[in-house]
Amino acid sequence: MKKTKIAITLEKLKEQSKKAFIPYIMAGDPDIETTIERVMLLEKCGADIIELGIPFSDPLADGPTIQQAAGRALKSGTTLRKVIAAVRGLRHHTRIPIILMTYYNPVFKYGEELFVKDAIEAGVDGVIIPDLPPEEAGSFIKLSRPSGPGSGLDTIFLVAPTSTEARIKSIVSACRGFVYYVSITGITGSKLSIDEAFRKHIDTVKQLAKKPVAVGFGVSTPGEAQTVGRLADGVIVGSAIVKKFHEEPGNAEGFIKDLREAINSSNQ
Amino acid sequence: MRRIIGNSLWRTTIKKLPDKKGYFGHYGGRFAPETLMSALHELERAYMQAKTDKSFQEELKHLQATYIGRPTPLYFAKRLTEKLGGAKIYLKREDLAHTGAHKINNALGQSLLAKRMGKERLTAETGAGQHGVATATGAALAGLACEIYMGSVDVQRQALNVFRMKLLGAEVREVDIGSKTLKDAINEAMRDWTANVRTTHYVLGTVFGPHPFPMIVRDFQSIIGKEAKGQVTKAEGRLPDYLIACVGGGSNAMGLFNEFLDKDIRMIGVEAGGKGIETGEHAARFAGGSIGILQGCKTYLLQDDDGNVLDTHSVSAGLDYASVGPEHSFLKDSGRIRYTYATDDEALSAFEILSKTEGIIPALESAHALAEAVKLAPGLSRDKIMIVNLSGRGDKDVQQVAKIKGVNLSD
């Protein structure tokens, strides 16, 4: 069966008993040119998959760090259209899987069908839309698989600590690529607490998913990345990287390498 | 309009909306982050149970009468009618409800519901401050903790209501991001709810957001129209010809209109025209907006070509909002309700006219509905009957109006 780039990447890691490192940056913060450089830097530092945030005026699932980054990106004139064009440009330099993380309205306004077509053409591999639950995503899922199971865009949905078992089942079946497990009951960048309830819930999700599960939302230090790496197939780090790039860009490379090493050491 | 309500399919359909997925035709739905989805389902279940639970309904009814002071009067504005020289104008006096606006109808209902669901804490957004005050009041009555989010621009122009909320025991959080008004306060309240969803109920203040909020808020507000129907029938022996209400999110309008949707009555929703549609500084979503998804539902929205939400302007904080309840979008598209707008200047003028002719100072939001009555009534014959929803009282706006008129009250 034909497989998507994200699926192949995650399978390879699994064969090597490795965990995926999935950093997130806000596209266009502070501008698109810098974003392109940072994608290359992230790949160089060992990222397996990269999430590019699309700035939106009303990011209600995000904490202050990503809200402010979105504000800066909008100020620099960043739009979904421009980010898709940037990915097209990036494809001359890298094959690393790229996922767009966007609120639904920019996609709706772009036109679902046109968005999927343009994103696929540009070389986008997957999409995460935090305010589009599977029950509202029927047409989007269908459009994302234009020629069968291994084609088009991977649709990645979120499972939350508050998701019931029935919801988890329907969410994981709508997911392709991997399942995004939200590690905290809250918004991005909140404080992570890896307790017994968390371990239990993520085990349930992994059992029901039968596909890779990556964890994100509250992972901010190499230590946390290591712990989460032990529990999941991939670790998503967003706010902490966005913050580092904004506040101490000179130390960002070191921080990203530390995260990578911490995730590598998850299995030791 | 006559063609629409003459259609029996319309009459049976309109009573059943929203559908199971929370849609009013193409509008509505449940576009919420996964963390909130279980809570939305829980809320829907609890509400449907409460709706048919006799003891809940009796408690609500009792408090509506003894605490809110319902029924609110339907007042014949004789001097205003004479001044305008046309249709008879009645005012539905929601300004006389406890806390001074219709907002308490919903806030009280949701507070009782939250208590029933075992929640310990309420959170809410507020624009003009009326919904914040109403929620703080409901929280005090139900013995729940309360935190209110309010844009910093609104905190400044509605300082009186901020202090009222604090007196009622609520925490008021200033929101200093985005346009710093109602829209941003909703984002922040939803973030709070996301983080505290297990213990907290989010009291959304208007017929907006993810399902089941537009339905719950409409139902709690529909007492306005139910009362008005009985009152006008008693006074005039028949139903009115026109209903007018202002539309921010649209809860006072749905509250008045809902009971009459299958009747042969013209209804007009009045949005905030701000400084005029051509200036771009307004909040008239139907005049200048397009379909989009914001804060949990699909509806009309003021947005740019890339789907980012535009800044809005209105002299009235309660109407200063980029989107509108999904049921209104459905009623607009179906042609059942006509939507228009009043500018800041027209609303301010109506604010003064009502104060001087009737001795009633209206909220600036309600003054938008009055502005439409001022335009419409003179051209109608004297046997026509019009009900204007006087959704709130204007005490909160006195300071701001003084400022606009260049009067300094602080000395």
Side-chain angles (χ1 to χ4, degrees), chain B residues 191-257:
Chain B
R191 289 179 188 121
D192 178 315
W193 194 33
T194 306
N196 301 293
V197 63
R198 290 189 172 94
T199 57
T200 298
H201 173 66
Y202 174 31
V203 185
L204 219 165
T206 191
V207 287
F208 196 73
H211 181 62
F213 282 113
M215 170 181 76
I216 291 179
V217 179
R218 175 198 66 192
D219 290 357
F220 282 135
Q221 291 294 359
S222 65
I223 188 157
I224 300 172
K226 282 180 191 148
E227 285 176 7
K229 194 175 176 188
Q231 289 165 324
V232 73
T233 307
K234 198 171 169 204
E236 294 283 347
R238 69 176 182 91
L239 293 180
D241 302 291
Y242 291 85
L243 302 176
I244 305 178
C246 65
V247 181
S251 71
N252 89 81
M254 278 319 304
L256 177 64
F257 296 163

Side-chain angles (χ1 to χ4, degrees), chain B residues 88-155:
Chain B
K88 288 178 90 168
I89 300 172
Y90 281 86
L91 304 176
K92 180 59 176 164
R93 297 291 307 274
E94 290 302 296
D95 61 320
L96 293 177
H98 180 44
T99 71
H102 71 291
K103 291 291 184 190
I104 190 72
N105 299 327
N106 166 54
L108 178 74
Q110 286 201 45
S111 299
L112 297 179
L113 193 59
K115 179 113 185 156
R116 185 184 160 95
M117 290 166 70
K119 303 291 180 184
E120 300 156 10
R121 176 176 173 271
L122 302 180
T123 184
E125 80 293 344
T126 195
Q130 290 303 110
H131 175 58
V133 167
T135 304
T137 301
L141 183 71
L144 303 169
C146 182
E147 203 155 321
I148 305 291
Y149 291 89
M150 188 170 188
S152 53
V153 169
D154 293 337
V155 166

Side-chain angles (χ1 to χ4, degrees), chain B residues 220-342:
Chain B
F220 282 135
Q221 291 294 359
S222 65
I223 188 157
I224 300 172
K226 282 180 191 148
E227 285 176 7
K229 194 175 176 188
Q231 289 165 324
V232 73
T233 307
K234 198 171 169 204
E236 294 283 347
R238 69 176 182 91
L239 293 180
D241 302 291
Y242 291 85
L243 302 176
I244 305 178
C246 65
V247 181
S251 71
N252 89 81
M254 278 319 304
L256 177 64
F257 296 163
N258 190 54
E259 187 66 16
F260 300 96
L261 285 171
D262 59 346
K263 300 284 183 292
D264 186 9
I265 294 170
R266 288 177 191 276
M267 302 179 185
I268 304 160
V270 187
E271 299 185 277
K275 295 178 181 168
I277 305 303
E278 66 289 350
T279 66
E281 292 186 53
H282 63 84
R285 293 69 42 106
F286 291 131
S290 56
I291 300 167
I293 289 95
L294 180 67
Q295 293 168 339
C297 60
K298 185 187 280 187
T299 185
Y300 276 79
L301 183 61
L302 291 170
Q303 57 183 329
D304 66 17
D305 292 342
D306 297 299
N308 287 301
V309 180
L310 293 171
D311 284 350
T312 52
H313 165 83
S314 170
V315 69
S316 133
L319 304 184
D320 196 353
Y321 181 54
S323 193
V324 59
E327 190 165 12
H328 283 288
S329 295
F330 168 73
L331 291 166
K332 181 211 157 27
D333 278 9
S334 65
R336 176 62 188 92
I337 294 182
R338 181 166 75 85
Y339 292 86
T340 181
Y341 59 87

Side-chain angles (χ1 to χ4, degrees), chain A residues 64-112:
Chain A
T65 299
I66 291 178
Q67 285 173 46
Q68 286 155 15
R72 292 190 294 271
L74 288 172
K75 220 170 173 180
S76 77
T78 309
T79 62
L80 180 53
R81 218 168 290 274
K82 287 185 187 170
V83 178
I84 291 173
V87 173
R88 191 177 296 124
L90 270 164
R91 285 298 172 229
H92 297 297
H93 310 287
T94 173
R95 279 182 46 79
I96 192 165
I98 293 177
I99 295 170
L100 300 185
M101 185 156 181
T102 175
Y103 286 86
Y104 185 46
N105 199 48
V107 172
F108 180 81
K109 189 73 183 167
Y110 198 110
E112 274 188 349

